[in-house]
Amino acid sequence: MSAIDKRLALVCLLLTGVTLLSWWLGNSHGSHAFALNAGITCSVILIAALKVRVIVWEFMELNRAPLRMQRIADALLASLIALLLTLYFSGRAA
Amino acid sequence: MSNGTALNAARRVPGQIDIWYFVLIEAIIFSSYFITYMLYRVWESPLFLQSQVHLSQNFGALNTVILLVSSWLVAQAVQAAREQKFDAAQKLVMMTMACGVLFIISKIFEWSSKIHQGFEFSTNRFFSFYYFLTGIHVLHVLIGFIFLGVVIYQLRSPQRRSITVIESGAIFWHMVDFLWVIIFALLYVMR
Amino acid sequence: MSLWHRVAWHCKNNPKIELWIMWWAMFCFYQLFGIVFALMTRVMPPPKPWWDHARIVQWFNDNHYGLLWGFGIIFLVAGITASMNALIAYSMTRMSVSRVFSYIYLAIYSLSTLPGMLLTAILLTVGALRPDRDPAIISWIYDAAFTGFVGTMGVFFIGTSVWMLAVLLDKNRVFPLWFGYLNICNLLTEIVVAPMWIFKEGPFAWNGVIAFWVDTLVFVVYTIAFITLLRRMIVREDFGDGPLPELEQRA
């Protein structure tokens, strides 16, 4: 297995592991406890953001792309996550 | 800015720049759907929470893993194509498509079980979003099959093997994957 | 040379004059369309689907003159859409793909003005014509007009697919690849309107964030893109058979 193949396999393993973590967070409190939970929401959304970034950086090979593209991608992802979390928390405060 | 230019010189755009414009626009459109979802979720929290109970976390996680593996397979296919191992590349793309088919079968299964339980598109706002987001995502998976089909077509014949087209097809498939990652977090897991 | 003299010279000598006339007709039509539908008749953005009879009758009264005059203009100039369809079909004849694409596109889009604007225009004009009509009938007209306007995307969906396919398969690169992909975005938004037949409020209603606003935004971006690209095509046109030459780099 070449270095790149190893890297890709590692990335896939990492992403799967983090997905199982999300799944566990969603499941662990039992189906009777579907209440607002900032902790779970925050971690789950940030985990999703991490996964998206890893997919775009490693699988879509943005890590070798021009800097401008990387910056735009990061800016978009950051804005989306910021907006989602802001809406969630301002909704809870209301 | 000569340092910046020197750093930039070694970089190249993966695939075609056109496919990246496409990914950008789709990402923005889906983001508008996600933000709308979050808005309604915040306005109608109790409804969304109660309805969310009926979604299967297992299906959600399984779907995510299927797509992650499919992304890994197609990334390996691009690598194989770069190393001129075209037969291996073709096999890997076929396996990617198989994962896609598995995803769709699983989604159909999930939808029909929900409908059996009485939750369909117009049951309530949460389920409207559920069917809408998963539905439009499945449409993208189907379009992904066309892109992967073009990749296989390219790999088949020595005259056609354009690595940029192959990379672009893979890039579209990865987009399908990362869109689902966000949908999983927003629909299934967040509270 | 004065503007008039320059225009006259072009009419006599420019080999692309017909293409330019078509392009300007299309451009002017879209400006007019925007003014009529957004400002005069107030059909875009659409009013609410959940209103009762009395409120709907009030909307017709508020917009009485806007509706009649605005759609009067549309009935007069509706034929200009032919210029747009002709130019787009022409662009496909310049491509390396079969002329069948052009013909299918023309056939489909010749039908498109009906669900795209004329049906709505006729219905709303009828509604505005007799303000003292039974409110139940006026409500029916209102519903028919807006469901027909926002929800009937099938024609455009197939038409966009035809153009998309032509652009992606074309070896003459009449249009850039990203435009072919943009057609996919436009095509998908035409499917996204479908839920508006079920919901009378919320994001999926005919005035909803998802079924109307995001859709319309994508459509506006798409329209600006193809108007610009058609202009570029005419500038690049060499009336040949092979790949269309790129725009010369300005010094």
Side-chain angles (χ1 to χ4, degrees), chain B residues 51-67:
Chain B
S51 309
Q52 199 182 10
V53 180
H54 302 285
L55 283 191
S56 163
Q57 301 288 316
N58 302 338
F59 260 119
L62 180 69
N63 285 167
T64 313
V65 172
I66 291 176
L67 283 183

Side-chain angles (χ1 to χ4, degrees), chain B residues 16 18-19 21-22 25-26 29 32-33 36 40 121-122 125 128-129 132 136 139-140 143 147, chain C residues 176-178 181-182 184-185 188-189 191-192 195 198-199 201-204 209-210 214-215 218:
Chain B
Q16 316 149 334
D18 307 81
I19 198 82
Y21 288 136
F22 185 31
I25 297 175
E26 286 286 278
I29 295 175
S32 74
Y33 297 154
T36 309
Y40 277 94
F121 190 43
S122 53
R125 186 94 68 209
S128 301
F129 271 107
F132 174 73
I136 196 120
L139 265 173
H140 280 76
I143 296 175
F147 275 89
Chain C
L177 265 178
W178 62 259
Y181 298 141
L182 191 62
I184 302 182
C185 294
L188 287 168
T189 59
I191 300 177
V192 167
I198 307 177
F199 298 98
E201 51 78 43
F204 300 109
V209 173
I210 291 181
V214 174
D215 258 34
V218 173

Side-chain angles (χ1 to χ4, degrees), chain A residues 4 8-9 19 22-23 26 34-35 37 41 55 59-61 63-65 67 69-70 76 83 87-88 91, chain B residues 8 11-12 14 20 24 35 38 42 49 53 57-58 61 64 68 72 79 82 171 174 177 182 185 189 191:
Chain A
I4 296 187
L8 289 175
T19 303
S22 286
W23 171 82
F34 268 70
N37 190 320
T41 302
I55 290 173
F59 285 153
M60 291 165 90
E61 296 180 315
N63 51 14
R64 301 190 311 173
L67 291 166
M69 282 175 75
Q70 291 186 343
L76 275 170
L83 216 62
L87 283 172
Y88 178 77
Chain B
N8 239 353
R11 295 166 178 271
R12 56 170 271 278
W20 284 100
L24 177 69
I35 292 169
M38 189 55 102
V42 154
L49 280 166
V53 180
Q57 301 288 316
N58 302 338
T64 313
L68 287 175
W72 175 50
Q79 273 310 114
R82 284 194 189 130
I171 287 171
H174 293 309
D177 184 15
I182 304 178
V189 208
R191 294 300 137 82

Side-chain angles (χ1 to χ4, degrees), chain A residues 30-68:
Chain A
S31 64
H32 57 273
F34 268 70
L36 283 176
N37 190 320
I40 294 183
T41 302
C42 232
S43 12
V44 151
I45 289 184
L46 289 173
I47 290 175
L50 173 75
K51 280 154 78 177
V52 171
R53 193 170 195 278
V54 168
I55 290 173
V56 175
W57 238 250
E58 298 292 327
F59 285 153
M60 291 165 90
E61 296 180 315
L62 204 67
N63 51 14
R64 301 190 311 173
L67 291 166
R68 204 152 140 248

Side-chain angles (χ1 to χ4, degrees), chain B residues 113-130:
Chain B
S113 92
K114 290 286 152 285
I115 293 175
H116 247 110
Q117 292 171 339
F119 304 113
E120 37 90 18
F121 190 43
S122 53
T123 301
N124 65 34
R125 186 94 68 209
F126 175 77
F127 278 101
S128 301
F129 271 107
Y130 166 72

